[in-house]
C-alpha cells in the first residue's frame, strides 16, 4: 500500500512540474484583475471534476471573492445566464473532447468571455478552440488505477492547482484573517477564530 501512495505522489509531482509557470502566473493575474474590475471567477466541469470546481469556488467564497460553479452540462440549458463579459471562466476537461465541453467553450467564445482550459490532452478538440496562452496544459503519466482510466490523479492535480490559485489570489487581494472570520462563523474553524479551544 505504501508503494502505491509513493507512486501517486511521484505522478502528481511530475504533473505539477509540467506546468508552464508563465502561463500559470498569467492566469493568476487575470483572475485577480477580473475580481478587481467587478467580475467573478467561474469554474466549470463534468463528472468527477464537479466537486473539484465546487471546492475551488467554496475556498474563494470563504475569502470573500466572488466565484460560481457552472455545470458544463446544464450551462447551455440556461445557466449561461450567470456569465457576463466581465467574468473569467475556467473549464476543466481531461481530454477536452466531451461534446458538452466543446459546445460550452464555443458559446463562451461567442460571448467574448475570458475563457481558460485545464487539460491533459494537447490534441483535444477544446484545446483547438483556444489560443495556447489560455490553456493550462498538464502532463500526467497515469491515473493510479490498474486500468489507467479512473479520474484519480488528474482530479487531484486540478484541485491542487485551483487551490493554489485561490490562496495566491487571497494574498494579492490582501484578504485578512478578520475577513475570513466574518465569512466563517460556524464549525470548528469558526470556534477557533473566536478563540475557543476545541482541540488539544
Amino acid at each position: 500500500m505504501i508503494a502505491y501512495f509513493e507512486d501517486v505522489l511521484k505522478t502528481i509531482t511530475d504533473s505539477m512540474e509540467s506546468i508552464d509557470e508563465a502561463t500559470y502566473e498569467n492566469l493568476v493575474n487575470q483572475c485577480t484583475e477580473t475580481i478587481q474590475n467587478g467580475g467573478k471567477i467561474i469554474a466549470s466541469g463534468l463528472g468527477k471534476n464537479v466537486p473539484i470546481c465546487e471546492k475551488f469556488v467554496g475556498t474563494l467564497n470563504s475569502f470573500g471573492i466572488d466565484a460560481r460553479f457552472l455545470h458544463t452540462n446544464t450551462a447551455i440549458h440556461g445557466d449561461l445566464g450567470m456569465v457576463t463579459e466581465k467574468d473569467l471562466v475556467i473549464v476543466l476537461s481531461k481530454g477536452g473532447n466531451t461534446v458538452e465541453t466543446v459546445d460550452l467553450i464555443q458559446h463562451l467564445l461567442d460571448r467574448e468571455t475570458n475563457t481558460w482550459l485545464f487539460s491533459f490532452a494537447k490534441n483535444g478538440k477544446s484545446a483547438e478552440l483556444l489560443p495556447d496562452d489560455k490553456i493550462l496544459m498538464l502532463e500526467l503519466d497515469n491515473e493510479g488505477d490498474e486500468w489507467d482510466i479512473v479520474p484519480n490523479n488528474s482530479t487531484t492535480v486540478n484541485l491542487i492547482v485551483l487551490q493554489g490559485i485561490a490562496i495566491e489570489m487571497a494574498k494579492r487581494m490582501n484578504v485578512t484573517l478578520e475577513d475570513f472570520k466574518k465569512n466563517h462563523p460556524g464549525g470548528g474553524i469558526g470556534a477557533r477564530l473566536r478563540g475557543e479551544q476545541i482541540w488539544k
Side-chain angles (χ1 to χ4, degrees):
M1 182 58 76
I2 296 301
Y4 167 77
F5 291 131
E6 290 175 343
D7 181 66
V8 166
L9 290 172
K10 182 181 185 306
T11 300
I12 292 173
T13 299
D14 290 345
S15 184
M16 301 300 295
E17 291 178 349
S18 73
I19 295 174
D20 181 80
E21 291 193 32
T23 302
Y24 178 81
E25 180 69 16
N26 189 30
L27 174 55
V28 176
N29 286 337
Q30 290 188 28
C31 284
T32 304
E33 291 169 1
T34 294
I35 298 299
Q36 293 172 337
N37 292 331
K40 58 184 175 290
I41 307 302
I42 298 173
S44 182
L46 282 171
K48 300 305 181 288
N49 274 321
V50 169
I52 304 303
C53 291
E54 291 177 333
K55 175 64 171 72
F56 171 59
V57 168
T59 299
L60 287 176
N61 289 164
S62 72
F63 287 135
I65 298 173
D66 195 3
R68 314 282 175 83
F69 167 61
L70 174 65
H71 197 293
T72 306
N73 192 36
T74 60
I76 62 172
H77 298 284
D79 289 356
L80 270 172
M82 75 170 69
V83 183
T84 74
E85 68 278 358
K86 292 183 178 182
D87 301 333
L88 183 149
V89 181
I90 300 174
V91 180
L92 273 58
S93 180
K94 182 184 177 183
N97 293 315
T98 309
V99 173
E100 296 93 337
T101 302
V102 176
D103 285 349
L104 173 59
I105 290 176
Q106 189 59 67
H107 285 296
L108 291 171
L109 292 176
D110 290 343
R111 289 172 169 240
E112 299 184 353
T113 302
N114 187 3
T115 306
W116 281 75
L117 171 69
F118 280 23
S119 181
F120 296 84
K122 296 179 180 179
N123 298 320
K125 293 179 181 178
S126 295
E128 295 176 356
L129 296 174
L130 294 166
D132 291 343
D133 62 356
K134 294 290 185 178
I135 302 172
L136 193 70
M137 190 61 65
L138 299 139
E139 296 178 4
L140 189 72
D141 184 57
N142 61 75
E143 283 285 13
D145 64 282
E146 60 180 314
W147 310 294
D148 190 23
I149 195 171
V150 177
N152 180 49
N153 289 339
S154 59
T155 52
T156 300
V157 169
N158 280 337
L159 178 61
I160 292 171
V161 175
L162 288 173
Q163 288 298 104
I165 292 171
I167 297 299
E168 184 60 28
M169 286 181 66
K171 290 180 181 178
R172 296 186 184 191
M173 297 181 67
N174 298 314
V175 176
T176 67
L177 184 59
E178 189 62 30
D179 295 326
F180 183 78
K181 180 180 178 179
K182 291 177 183 177
N183 299 327
H184 211 307
I189 292 177
R192 180 181 177 189
L193 291 173
R194 291 192 298 272
E196 300 173 14
Q197 185 176 353
I198 60 172
W199 299 305
K200 294 182 179 180

